[in-house]
Amino acid sequence: MAADQKVILVTGGSGLVGKAIERVVQDEKRDDEKWIFVSSKDADLTDRDATKAMFAKHKPTHVIHLAAFVGGLFRNLKYNLDFFRVNSIINDNVLHTSYETGVKKVVSCLSTCIFPDKTTYPIDETMVHNGPPHSSNFGYSFAKRMIDVQNRGYHTQHGCNFTSVIPTNVFGPYDNFNLEDGHVLPGLINKVHTAKKNSTPFVVWGTGSPRRQFIYSLDLARLFLWVLREYNEIDPIILSVGEEDEVSIREAAELVVEAMDFKGEVKYDTEKSDGQFKKTASNAKLRKYLPDFKFTPIKQAIKETCNWFEQNPDKVRL
Ligand SMILES: NC(=O)c1ccc[n+]([C@@H]2O[C@H](COP(=O)([O-])OP(=O)(O)OC[C@H]3O[C@@H](n4cnc5c(N)ncnc54)[C@H](OP(=O)(O)O)[C@@H]3O)[C@@H](O)[C@H]2O)c1
């Protein structure tokens, strides 16, 4: 292997973000990079020995760490303790094994939903640890925040180049479209599909008023490659569309209705929890580095995701 050859291991490689990175890597191959995408079938990352064995097998020089126990509001509300424990163990196994095996760079994934609940807007990268997260997902949030603590620790104590990115709500092909466990947008797509098929109303959970910045998984994947190749800070960077591109759940639902050409009744079940009202994030730091990066317009990205959902029933995770 040439001295400058990179071996990039992507944990969580079978998921929404991992599949998008795989696709973007195929489109812009580089000779000095060998990519390996792994899932829980290759190694259960809650198991330290299995994690070590996988690193010994692939000998990565770089790691994109995506693997996590994830889910939407309703799964978080039910399993806060599991979210904390499972994610803490996975992260410790991946980061410590990376350190022990001399991995040159690790890019881990945080999320904008880990920011303090009571905050000023827009949220930026300096605010990760400023106060308690929303009570609905405190387990996931504290586990994710500790990645930043570990990155700083591995850097100050051992000189490691471990960093993290903070995406907003991601959506795209290969998402989890399960209604109970998944995120809001794939849930809306699944519900419109069912409502269309059964000629029943499309019921949106909550009031539709909360606001979110959605990022298309393929845009996020392109940004991940940039972070891996060019970004050299230990501090996290928010990967998001601009504040002006935030939409309400109602607007997102209407885009799904339009993309899937649904003509039936749309209802809002206001008995269901809305979750955090908004978590508007600033992408000023990203824009300082990449002023010209073009995000896919949300209407087009939702249309592409709906098309993928309808055309790939065998690949849809329900
Ligand atoms: N989706 C979002 O809106 C969003 C927003 C912000 C941040 N993020 C972060 O982005 C990252 C990727 O999320 P995603 O949406 O792509 O998730 P996803 O589609 O649910 O994929 C999760 C991935 O993690 C793997 N995994 C889970 N438990 C594992 C274990 N014990 N051992 C090994 N692998 C395990 C899964 O493998 P299997 O397929 O084998 O189960 C899968 O590849 C996560 O760190 C998440 O916190 C996501």
Side-chain angles (χ1 to χ4, degrees):
M1 190 170 83
D4 55 354
Q5 180 80 22
K6 289 181 190 154
V7 178
I8 303 149
L9 180 75
V10 182
T11 73
S14 57
L16 163 67
V17 182
K19 281 286 183 192
I21 294 178
E22 194 172 24
R23 156 95 184 272
V24 170
V25 164
Q26 275 164 9
D27 292 345
E28 41 170 294
K29 272 209 172 76
R30 289 195 182 181
D31 291 343
D32 63 343
E33 292 178 351
K34 178 181 171 195
W35 288 80
I36 297 157
F37 294 85
V38 290
S39 74
S40 65
K41 292 188 189 70
D42 300 282
D44 176 0
L45 297 172
T46 61
D47 179 332
R48 176 65 66 105
D49 291 337
T51 307
K52 283 183 164 192
M54 192 171 66
F55 274 68
K57 179 175 171 194
H58 296 298
K59 302 187 174 44
T61 59
H62 293 66
V63 172
I64 292 184
H65 173 38
L66 306 172
F69 178 42
V70 300
L73 169 65
F74 298 94
R75 192 184 204 188
N76 271 277
L77 282 168
K78 252 203 241 162
Y79 300 112
N80 260 301
L81 175 66
D82 294 355
F83 271 93
F84 181 75
R85 294 195 63 234
V86 172
N87 286 314
S88 300
I89 294 167
I90 290 177
N91 297 337
D92 190 58
N93 285 343
V94 169
L95 292 176
H96 201 65
T97 308
S98 296
Y99 156 64
E100 285 179 332
T101 58
V103 168
K104 290 185 186 145
K105 183 165 181 177
V106 180
V107 181
S108 299
C109 203
L110 314 185
S111 164
T112 44
C113 55
I114 70 164
F115 278 105
D117 181 30
K118 295 197 174 36
T119 182
T120 52
Y121 294 100
I123 297 165
D124 70 37
E125 292 83 353
T126 66
M127 300 176 175
V128 171
H129 305 284
N130 279 1
H134 193 262
S135 59
S136 60
N137 64 352
F138 68 89
Y140 174 81
S141 301
F142 278 116
K144 286 279 184 190
R145 286 180 186 192
M146 289 309 112
I147 290 181
D148 178 56
V149 172
Q150 286 179 286
N151 286 347
R152 277 191 276 158
Y154 281 109
H155 180 67
T156 52
Q157 206 171 316
H158 300 298
C160 298
N161 186 6
F162 293 178
T163 189
S164 60
V165 299
I166 312 181
T168 44
N169 288 53
V170 191
F171 71 99
Y174 297 97
D175 208 339
N176 176 2
F177 291 86
N178 182 289
L179 298 185
E180 295 285 336
D181 295 348
H183 288 104
V184 54
L185 201 49
L188 295 175
I189 293 173
N190 186 2
K191 279 195 234 174
V192 171
H193 176 76
T194 309
K196 208 170 132 182
K197 199 171 67 189
N198 300 341
S199 301
T200 48
F202 162 39
V203 184
V204 181
W205 289 353
T207 61
S209 54
R211 305 184 65 76
R212 297 288 181 263
Q213 283 155 301
F214 291 102
I215 182 167
Y216 191 31
S217 59
L218 294 166
D219 292 342
L220 178 61
R222 287 155 59 217
L223 291 171
F224 250 106
L225 293 199
W226 168 75
V227 170
L228 183 83
R229 292 166 180 163
E230 317 278 350
Y231 178 75
N232 279 319
E233 294 184 35
I234 302 302
D235 287 340
I237 182 164
I238 291 173
L239 303 181
S240 172
V241 298
E243 292 156 58
E244 65 286 0
D245 294 319
E246 190 172 56
V247 296
S248 67
I249 302 300
R250 182 182 291 268
E251 287 166 306
E254 284 166 0
L255 286 172
V256 174
V257 164
E258 189 187 329
M260 298 181 98
D261 196 26
F262 176 68
K263 303 280 186 228
E265 188 188 357
V266 182
K267 286 179 165 174
Y268 288 82
D269 180 354
T270 53
E271 295 296 305
K272 292 266 198 247
S273 167
D274 263 346
Q276 212 166 345
F277 175 66
K278 66 174 188 174
K279 36 193 178 178
T280 319
S282 162
N283 70 353
K285 184 173 181 179
L286 175 67
R287 280 300 183 205
K288 211 173 74 201
Y289 279 104
L290 295 179
D292 300 324
F293 184 86
K294 296 243 178 321
F295 289 94
T296 310
I298 186 166
K299 189 172 170 174
Q300 180 189 335
I302 287 183
K303 179 75 185 154
E304 287 179 15
T305 307
C306 292
N307 288 349
W308 182 88
F309 180 91
E310 291 186 314
Q311 290 160 13
N312 293 279
D314 52 321
K315 296 190 183 122
V316 167
R317 257 192 297 164
L318 289 169

